[in-house]
Amino acid sequence: MNLKILEALSAIREKYGDGVFYNTTTVRNILNDLAPNMRKERIQIINFLEIGGYFQLKYADKAFPVVRRRLAVQLVETFAVDESVAEWVLNIFSMFLGYTVSDDGSVYEPENHSAPKRAVMSVEKSPFIGDERRPIMTVAKPKLSPTRRAFVNQRFAQRISADYHTVAVTRDGQVRASGTNSDGQCHTNTYDWRDMTAVSAGASFTVGLRADGTVVGVGANDFGQINVKDWTDIKAISAGARHTVGLRADGTLLACGQSRYGECKVTHWRNVIHVIAGQDCTFGIKKDGRVLVSGKNQNGNLMVSHLEGVVDIAYATPLRIIALLQDGTIARVGKENIMRKNFSGFKNIRQISAAPDYFAGLSDDGTVRLLAYFWQDSGVEAAVVDWREIIAIAAGRYHIIGWKSNGTLVAEMLHPDISKNKGQINVAQWEM
């Protein structure tokens, strides 16, 4: 058990009260000061708070052991961490909430608890230090349910985005940007870009979502695509080539920018839980897995109303669209789809992303593959992304970025023309 983390949490609660653990940004910033050399530990503490773990344990009462087990699985599933890491975090908060430790290392319920006194879990040292990785409880690797598969990665995917440039929301709520900056789309280091929760990169602009539900934009505004300053109560954003869409907490949408093909005519939609802005169209996914769409319908490419169980859409070009289904498989969209690649063999996909010349897919096992590679005549899969432990991906115009479970970013240029590299893969020092 790392007592420094335990002491830091106690100091935060003593100074600010229990309510501070609802505000992960505040806790993160304070932990940065109190435990500056314990980055991995701090990340896992924040991950736990982000699933409401502290208050679930605090008010678990007699159901404490059951709640612990449920939270362990949720941590493993949501944040792609090892079981021993999840158990270490739970031990930290068990101690923090007053569960005492016996001489043999077992955690017991507090003396004043109404339930019979019994061992809950044994305590171990941090799994991040040395070889102390002895699991105290067997937590089976969870199989994602269709609903969990659908949205377990959205909260991560919304924090990284790419086009000709790369943008990401770092652990302290700021936005880093690198790459082509011809229209100032990388100028995200101002005061306005603080306390951010999501970001999306358009062709020559960037939009960001603040924790308070407001939106900010920077870069090209020739079609009004960053006229978002009056938006409120937004929970997700998506930038197309020349338009921006915001999903409100009540399931309705706001949109601004070019609407030549009706891509911004979406404000009448209802019950939307996920939104995707394409090059010249907009997709909205409803809770039942049905898809709404508005925009350029070239040769029937937007015929998605027949699809069921859709959790995400990846739009490369009008004739290159795929849908991710709840069972982790891929469906191609459109009457005259010119894609040569057969996607039927791709299973257990949890996130998809697209650029005009390729699709990328993130599997449940944390690996990444290119599902199609259109600058090759054959259009076959090009397995060039040798990454592991990835929790989110973003396809850029000529590059791809991945967010690893350890809080770092990786990036790789994909296009063979090295002149396409404008610094968009310079992300190694960004801390997520």
Side-chain angles (χ1 to χ4, degrees):
M1 176 72 68
N2 197 306
L3 293 180
K4 186 170 183 180
I5 283 290
L6 192 59
E7 292 169 356
L9 290 170
S10 298
I12 293 172
R13 182 171 62 176
E14 183 177 350
K15 183 174 181 179
Y16 296 96
D18 270 341
V20 71
F21 295 111
Y22 279 117
N23 190 330
T24 56
T25 300
T26 298
V27 177
R28 179 188 295 111
N29 293 338
I30 298 172
L31 280 177
N32 289 344
D33 295 332
L34 297 178
N37 298 319
M38 302 176 67
R39 179 173 171 274
K40 291 182 179 179
E41 287 85 347
R42 297 196 314 264
I43 289 173
Q44 302 309 329
I45 294 297
I46 296 302
N47 288 350
F48 180 78
L49 294 178
E50 287 188 349
I51 63 173
Y54 174 72
F55 290 97
Q56 289 186 53
L57 280 186
K58 181 178 175 64
Y59 296 107
D61 196 51
K62 295 180 182 180
F64 186 89
V66 175
V67 172
R68 268 194 65 124
R69 286 169 174 81
R70 185 184 67 211
L71 286 170
V73 173
Q74 193 173 356
L75 271 172
V76 171
E77 179 180 294
T78 305
F79 293 96
V81 299
D82 188 86
E83 290 93 335
S84 62
V85 173
E87 289 302 328
W88 175 82
V89 175
L90 284 161
N91 285 337
I92 284 284
F93 281 94
S94 295
M95 293 281 290
F96 185 50
L97 289 167
Y99 286 73
T100 57
V101 183
S102 67
D103 293 337
D104 64 1
S106 297
V107 178
Y108 287 87
E109 297 182 37
E111 294 292 341
N112 60 354
H113 200 284
S114 58
K117 188 175 179 180
R118 62 185 181 274
V120 179
M121 294 292 171
S122 62
V123 179
E124 62 178 348
K125 293 184 180 179
S126 165
F128 311 105
I129 301 174
D131 296 321
E132 299 288 344
R133 295 182 65 84
R134 296 173 286 107
I136 30 188
M137 180 183 76
T138 300
V139 181
K141 278 289 186 181
K143 293 183 178 179
L144 293 180
S145 66
T147 303
R148 291 297 296 164
R149 182 193 302 280
F151 303 107
V152 70
N153 264 60
Q154 277 192 27
R155 63 197 309 263
F156 300 114
Q158 290 187 31
R159 288 179 56 185
I160 59 175
S161 187
D163 199 285
Y164 289 105
H165 61 303
T166 299
V167 287
V169 179
T170 62
R171 58 184 173 82
D172 57 0
Q174 299 186 50
V175 175
R176 302 289 298 274
S178 183
T180 301
N181 194 32
S182 55
D183 292 280
Q185 58 264 49
C186 291
H187 291 164
T188 60
N189 58 349
T190 65
Y191 180 79
D192 288 340
W193 292 78
R194 296 291 185 273
D195 199 21
M196 311 299 289
T197 61
V199 70
S200 189
S204 55
F205 67 101
T206 303
V207 288
L209 174 63
R210 298 190 184 100
D212 63 1
T214 59
V215 183
V216 63
V218 69
N221 198 32
D222 45 340
F223 293 94
Q225 58 264 53
I226 61 172
N227 292 342
V228 295
K229 65 179 181 179
D230 295 328
W231 290 9
T232 59
D233 201 28
I234 302 297
K235 70 174 185 178
I237 52 174
S238 185
R242 302 173 190 86
H243 75 294
T244 300
V245 184
L247 173 61
R248 305 187 75 177
D250 63 0
T252 61
L253 299 178
L254 296 175
C256 63
Q258 178 177 282
S259 193
R260 179 181 179 185
Y261 300 101
E263 50 264 53
C264 289
K265 294 181 179 180
V266 296
T267 55
H268 61 288
W269 291 358
R270 298 292 183 270
N271 302 317
V272 176
I273 58 175
H274 184 37
V275 64
I276 306 97
Q279 178 176 318
D280 41 28
C281 62
T282 301
F283 299 92
I285 299 176
K286 303 183 72 173
K287 188 174 182 179
D288 62 3
R290 297 277 186 173
V291 183
L292 302 172
V293 62
S294 183
K296 186 176 183 180
N297 189 13
Q298 179 178 345
N299 296 326
N301 64 290
L302 298 185
M303 294 184 63
V304 295
S305 60
H306 67 288
L307 293 175
E308 296 182 356
V310 175
V311 298
D312 204 1
I313 297 283
Y315 180 101
T317 63
L319 295 179
R320 294 172 180 168
I321 303 172
I322 62 174
L324 174 62
L325 306 182
Q326 287 181 347
D327 62 1
T329 60
I330 300 296
R332 289 180 291 180
V333 177
K335 279 185 178 178
E336 315 228 354
N337 202 304
I338 65 174
M339 292 186 292
R340 300 179 179 89
K341 184 65 187 177
N342 179 3
F343 291 101
S344 62
F346 295 103
K347 302 181 185 301
N348 300 318
I349 303 296
R350 68 161 56 184
Q351 186 203 342
I352 53 177
S353 190
D357 287 308
Y358 72 97
F359 292 106
L362 170 63
S363 299
D364 282 344
D365 63 2
T367 60
V368 179
R369 64 181 69 187
L370 301 183
L371 305 182
Y373 205 45
F374 297 113
W375 50 68
Q376 290 185 355
D377 291 339
S378 63
V380 299
E381 177 190 7
V384 297
V385 187
D386 187 21
W387 295 341
R388 297 291 184 272
E389 299 181 354
I390 302 298
I391 60 176
I393 57 173
R397 190 69 58 132
Y398 306 116
H399 71 295
I400 185 171
I401 60 174
W403 180 3
K404 302 193 69 173
S405 58
N406 65 2
T408 62
L409 288 182
V410 288
E412 183 172 327
M413 291 297 298
L414 297 179
H415 201 283
D417 184 352
I418 61 174
S419 68
K420 305 293 187 183
N421 187 350
K422 304 297 183 182
Q424 59 266 55
I425 61 173
N426 298 339
V427 299
Q429 302 304 314
W430 298 1
E431 293 187 356
M432 301 297 291

